[in-house]
Amino acid sequence: VVGLLTPLSVGATVILPESSTGPKILRALDLAGVTTMIGVPRLYEAILSGLEGQATARGRLQGRLFTGLLRLSVAIRERTGLRLGRLLFRPVHARLGRRLRLLVSAGAKLAPEHVWRLEGLGFTALSGYGLAETASAFTGNVPGAQRIGTEGRPLLAEGRVRIAGPDAGGQGEIQLRGPSVFDGYLDDDDANRDAFTDDGWFRTGDLGSVDADGFLTVSGRLKEQLVLGGGKKVFPEELEEHYRADPAILEIAVLERQGVLVALVLPDLAAIRRSPNSSVEDVVRVALASVAKGLPSHERLSGFTLVRQPLPRTRLGKFRRFLLPKLYEQALGGGGRATPEPLSDDDRALLQQPAVAAAWRVLEDRYGDRGLSLEADPQLDLGIDSLEWLSLGLELEGATEVALAEQDFAGVAQVRDVLRLIAARARAPAPAAESRAASLADDEARWLSPPSASQRLAGTALYGINRALSRLFFRLQVEGLENLPAEPPFVIVANHVSDLDPPLVGAALPLSLMRRLYWSGDRGRLFGSALSRAFCRIAHIFPVDERAPGSTLAMAERALSRGNVLVWFPESWRSPDGELQRFLPGVGRLLTRQPVPAVPAFIRGTYEAMPRERHWPRPCPVRIVFAPPLDPAALATSGEGETAEAQITEALRQAVARLAEQTRS
C-alpha cells in the first residue's frame, strides 16, 4: 500500500532495485534519481553504521570529524529546525543519491536516536505505525507535523487511537478505529471476538501511549513483554537497543530465564580483536556491565552466552523470539559451534605436512573433546584465552620446532589459520625466539635499570605532589601498612576499578618503598609520546601488551628478581560496576615462577571518584587496606582449581574479597 499503490496512485515512479544488497540499492538510488526511499529500520541502521565505518576507516581524525559534525548538525536541527546536513555531508548525499531527501521507515520501530542522526545528515526521516489489519499505515509523522520519538498521528481524519487500561504512566494496549481498519477475519468468528472489543475497537496487541497532542508512542508487543520474578515488566526491544550501543556487541537478544533477564550475544570479533584485551568473553562481559550501570536493577542482565551465527529474524528484521529460549540452552550446553566442513584437497595437503601433522596431534590431545575442527574459533569454540595461547604456543613449538610469537595469535579466527601459520614458518623459519629475547632484554635495560640522579629527584617530587593531592581531594585513609614485609621482593595484589588506583596506592606507601616499586602499563595507552615515556620511566612503569602475556610475565619476573616490589591488578580491566571481577591466572603463574610473598589489598572509593567512563575525577573519600602477606605455597593448597596457578589465583581473589567485605562497614 505505502510502497507501491500509493506512489502509483499519485503518478510517482516506483524504482525496484535488482536485489536488497547494499551496492544494488545504491545503484538504483543513483541511476533513477530517487527522491524518496521506504525501508525497514534495519536498512537505515545499516546505512548509518556503514557511513560511520567508512569515516573511521579513513583514520581516527576523519572518524572524529564525522562524529563531531554529525553531533553539531543534530544539535542545530533540534534547537532551530535547520537542516545543515546537505551542506556538511555533501559526499554522503553524492553516494546515496543527490536527489534523495525523504526516508520513510515502516515495519518496526526506528529508534529516535537513529531518526535524529538521519535528520542530522540532512534527510527528512519519517516513521509511522500500522498493521496489515489497518490497510498498512494508520498513524505517521508527516512534513509539518513531525515529532521524533513518536509514530505520529492518524493519517485519516476519521482515524481514532485510544489506550486501553493505561497504567500510571499512561501506557496500555493500543486500540484503533477508522475506515482503514478491516472488518474482520474471513470465516473465523473466534479470531474476530479476540480482535475486537465489544464496542468495535480493534485490539492491536501493541503497548503504547498518546500525548496531549495526539502523537502515538509505541513501546512494544504485549506478548513480547517480559514479566520477571518480582513482577517487574520489561520490553526486550528497548533493552536490546540500549545494550547494543557498545561496539563489541554486534547483536543481542534479551529473554527471561528462571525469573531473570539473560541474553544471547553475537560479538563483533573484528572489533574485539582490535582492542587491547582480546578475550571475547571478558570484553563482552565488561561491555554489558558498563552499559547496564544506567539501568534499573531489574533491567540488568543476570547472565549471557555467546553465539557464533546471526540470531533468527523475520523478514522485517525482528527477532523470532519463540526460538530464543532453545538457542540459549543450546549455547549454554556448548552448542552452536561451527559445523565441520568436508576437508578440501588443500586441507588434506595442509594436514599432511610434517609440522602441521605434529601440531594437529597437539590440538587433538588438548581440545579433541571440545569440538575441534579446522573451522573452530579458538576462543569461542575451544575456550583458548591469551594465557592459554602462551602455554599452547610453547607446546606447539616443542612438537613442531616452529616458534610462534604471541602476537601471531591475535588475528587468528580459525584453527586452520594456526596450522597455515605453522606451515609457512616451517618452510621459512623466522628467528621469533631470538627476536623476543632481544626485545625483552631491551625493555629490561630501559625500564628496570636504576634511575639516574635527575630521574630519582623528579620521582621524589612527583611522589610528594601525588601524596598531597591524594589527601587533599580524596582524604586518603590507609590501613595495614604494618602488614607489608620489611624487605622486598613481594607483590601487592589489588582490585582495579579506576585509573586513580595506581596513583592512590602509590600515595599510600612510604617513599622508601616507592623507590623500589614497579608497575606495568599498557604499551599502546601510556607509551605513545616522548613525554609519557619520560613520565613512565620516572614512575617506574614498564610497558606490557595485554595480547602478549608471556612478555608481561617475563618483565614482572625480572622486576621481582631485581629485589623490587610489584603492584599487580589481576582483573586486568577496570571493573565496570565497582564489584570484584574474575582474576586472570597470570598472577598465579607469576607466583609459581617467583614464589615471593603476596599482599592482598582492597581499594574503596576510587570507583565513585572516577569510574571507567569518566575522564576527570571528583572529590571522594578513598580507603586502602593492606592484609598480611600470604605465602604462594599456602595459597596453592587453599584455592580451587585444576593447577597450582589457578589455585593461587582463586585464593588471592578470595583474600581480596574478604577485604572488600571488611571495608563495607
Side-chain angles (χ1 to χ4, degrees):
V1 172
V2 174
L4 185 65
L5 298 181
T6 299
L8 292 178
S9 71
V10 298
T13 301
V14 177
I15 307 300
L16 303 177
E18 293 180 49
S19 71
S20 58
T21 62
K24 296 295 186 182
I25 293 174
L26 290 177
R27 179 176 172 81
L29 291 172
D30 183 47
L31 288 180
V34 171
T35 60
T36 302
M37 180 163 63
I38 300 172
V40 296
R42 288 192 72 198
L43 171 64
Y44 299 119
E45 292 169 7
I47 289 174
L48 288 167
S49 177
L51 292 173
E52 291 167 353
Q54 289 174 4
T56 303
R58 294 190 182 100
R60 183 178 298 180
L61 181 60
Q62 287 274 22
R64 289 180 175 175
L65 179 62
F66 180 88
T67 301
L69 284 177
L70 184 54
R71 288 176 178 168
L72 174 64
S73 183
V74 169
I76 293 173
R77 170 71 179 88
E78 283 187 275
R79 288 166 175 76
T80 69
L82 295 176
R83 287 188 176 88
L84 299 183
R86 298 196 77 85
L87 177 64
L88 296 175
F89 299 99
R90 292 179 66 182
V92 170
H93 290 269
R95 180 164 175 74
L96 293 180
R98 296 183 186 278
R99 297 186 63 198
L100 183 63
R101 58 179 178 80
L102 177 60
L103 308 178
V104 178
S105 176
K109 182 176 181 178
L110 181 60
E113 55 266 31
H114 296 327
V115 179
W116 278 117
R117 286 155 71 196
L118 291 169
E119 292 272 335
L121 288 170
F123 299 104
T124 299
L126 303 176
S127 62
Y129 168 76
L131 304 90
E133 292 89 343
T134 65
S136 193
F138 191 89
T139 69
N141 285 285
V142 298
Q146 179 189 21
R147 184 162 296 177
I148 295 175
T150 77
E151 303 308 319
R153 296 186 288 204
L155 295 170
L156 297 177
E158 303 89 344
R160 296 289 183 271
V161 179
R162 76 178 183 185
I163 304 300
D167 59 17
Q171 191 165 255
E173 184 187 28
I174 300 169
Q175 296 182 354
L176 307 176
R177 191 169 189 173
S180 64
V181 177
F182 78 143
D183 291 332
Y185 299 106
L186 183 64
D187 299 330
D188 195 336
D189 293 338
D190 291 338
N192 288 328
R193 278 191 293 272
D194 291 338
F196 290 92
T197 64
D198 292 340
D199 55 352
W201 288 73
F202 172 58
R203 296 188 176 106
T204 66
D206 290 319
L207 287 169
S209 59
V210 176
D211 65 19
D213 296 320
F215 286 86
L216 173 67
T217 299
V218 181
S219 305
R221 292 286 294 171
L222 264 172
K223 65 180 181 181
E224 292 179 356
Q225 186 183 49
L226 303 178
V227 182
L228 307 180
K232 297 286 189 180
K233 299 176 182 178
V234 297
F235 293 103
E237 284 189 355
E238 294 179 359
L239 282 181
E240 288 156 0
E241 187 70 27
H242 197 78
Y243 279 112
R244 203 170 62 237
D246 193 281
I249 298 171
L250 202 59
E251 285 187 358
I252 180 169
V254 174
L255 62 153
E256 180 271 337
R257 182 175 185 265
Q258 298 178 358
V260 296
L261 289 178
V262 296
L264 287 154
V265 178
L266 177 67
D268 189 332
L269 295 179
I272 291 172
R273 288 187 176 111
R274 290 193 299 267
S275 69
N277 190 328
S278 58
S279 170
V280 177
E281 186 172 350
D282 282 348
V283 173
V284 171
R285 174 178 51 79
V286 170
L288 294 174
S290 298
V291 172
K293 286 196 302 183
L295 295 173
S297 58
H298 67 277
E299 293 184 353
R300 299 176 186 177
L301 299 176
S302 296
F304 71 91
T305 186
L306 301 176
V307 296
R308 292 178 52 94
Q309 303 298 327
L311 296 166
R313 294 178 182 266
T314 68
R315 64 181 180 84
L316 294 178
K318 297 182 179 181
F319 288 128
R320 301 176 69 188
R321 296 195 180 274
F322 69 95
L323 297 176
L324 299 182
K326 183 178 179 181
L327 288 176
Y328 190 86
E329 299 303 326
Q330 288 176 344
L332 278 183
R337 295 191 177 104
T339 303
E341 300 175 1
L343 292 179
S344 66
D345 291 341
D346 288 343
D347 289 337
R348 280 189 284 270
L350 177 66
L351 291 171
Q352 287 173 1
Q353 297 182 41
V356 174
W360 184 254
R361 287 192 293 272
V362 170
L363 295 172
E364 280 188 318
D365 290 341
R366 277 179 168 250
Y367 311 112
D369 58 347
R370 300 190 196 176
L372 175 68
S373 70
L374 293 181
E375 293 77 26
D377 184 295
Q379 286 201 37
L380 289 180
D381 296 329
L382 306 182
I384 304 176
D385 60 16
S386 57
L387 276 169
E388 190 167 349
W389 274 127
L390 176 62
S391 61
L392 175 60
L394 293 174
E395 190 171 349
L396 289 173
E397 184 175 342
T400 65
E401 298 184 356
V402 173
L404 298 176
E406 293 163 277
Q407 288 83 353
D408 292 333
F409 295 116
V412 166
Q414 293 183 337
V415 169
R416 183 183 282 107
D417 299 332
V418 179
L419 299 180
R420 286 174 175 168
L421 186 61
I422 289 172
R425 291 283 171 84
R427 290 192 296 270
E434 292 83 350
S435 176
R436 289 199 301 270
S439 175
L440 182 60
D442 289 344
D443 277 347
E444 180 181 6
R446 182 173 187 183
W447 303 107
L448 299 183
S449 59
S452 65
S454 60
Q455 289 169 339
R456 187 181 177 93
L457 181 62
T460 302
L462 187 65
Y463 172 81
I465 294 170
N466 179 50
R467 193 174 175 91
L469 292 175
S470 298
R471 279 156 175 74
L472 177 64
F473 288 103
F474 305 110
R475 304 196 296 279
L476 179 63
Q477 297 181 12
V478 184
E479 301 173 27
L481 279 178
E482 69 279 2
N483 292 323
L484 299 178
E487 285 294 325
F490 59 89
V491 179
I492 297 173
V493 179
N495 63 312
H496 194 21
V497 293
S498 170
D499 280 336
L500 292 174
D501 295 338
L504 285 169
V505 169
L509 299 173
L511 178 60
S512 59
L513 191 60
M514 279 295 296
R515 285 176 170 158
R516 300 179 65 179
L517 185 138
Y518 281 80
W519 321 74
S520 63
D522 183 70
R523 188 183 295 271
R525 191 176 179 205
L526 295 181
F527 293 80
S529 68
L531 182 61
S532 63
R533 289 191 293 272
F535 168 80
C536 289
R537 184 70 177 94
I538 293 168
H540 294 181
I541 303 171
F542 58 84
V544 300
D545 187 339
E546 291 285 353
R547 291 172 293 184
S551 300
T552 302
L553 289 169
M555 282 292 285
E557 288 178 44
R558 299 200 179 190
L560 291 173
S561 67
R562 286 171 172 257
N564 295 310
V565 180
L566 191 68
V567 177
W568 195 272
F569 298 109
E571 295 161 290
S572 182
W573 279 24
R574 292 161 292 163
S575 172
D577 54 9
E579 297 299 318
L580 200 62
Q581 305 177 87
R582 178 175 74 96
F583 277 17
L584 300 182
V587 67
R589 177 165 295 185
L590 175 65
L591 291 173
T592 56
R593 295 181 179 181
Q594 290 282 338
V596 301
V599 178
F602 190 79
I603 308 164
R604 184 170 295 284
T606 53
Y607 176 78
E608 291 74 15
M610 189 177 167
R612 58 184 295 126
E613 70 275 6
R614 281 183 66 91
H615 299 292
W616 293 98
R618 54 193 169 201
C620 184
V622 173
R623 180 183 177 195
I624 301 178
V625 180
F626 298 97
L630 301 172
D631 179 62
L635 290 170
T637 61
S638 61
E640 298 178 357
E642 297 180 357
T643 64
E645 298 167 1
Q647 290 163 352
I648 291 172
T649 301
E650 180 56 26
L652 281 171
R653 188 187 184 281
Q654 293 172 3
V656 175
R658 287 192 292 271
L659 284 179
E661 288 301 316
Q662 294 173 20
T663 60
R664 290 186 193 277
S665 57

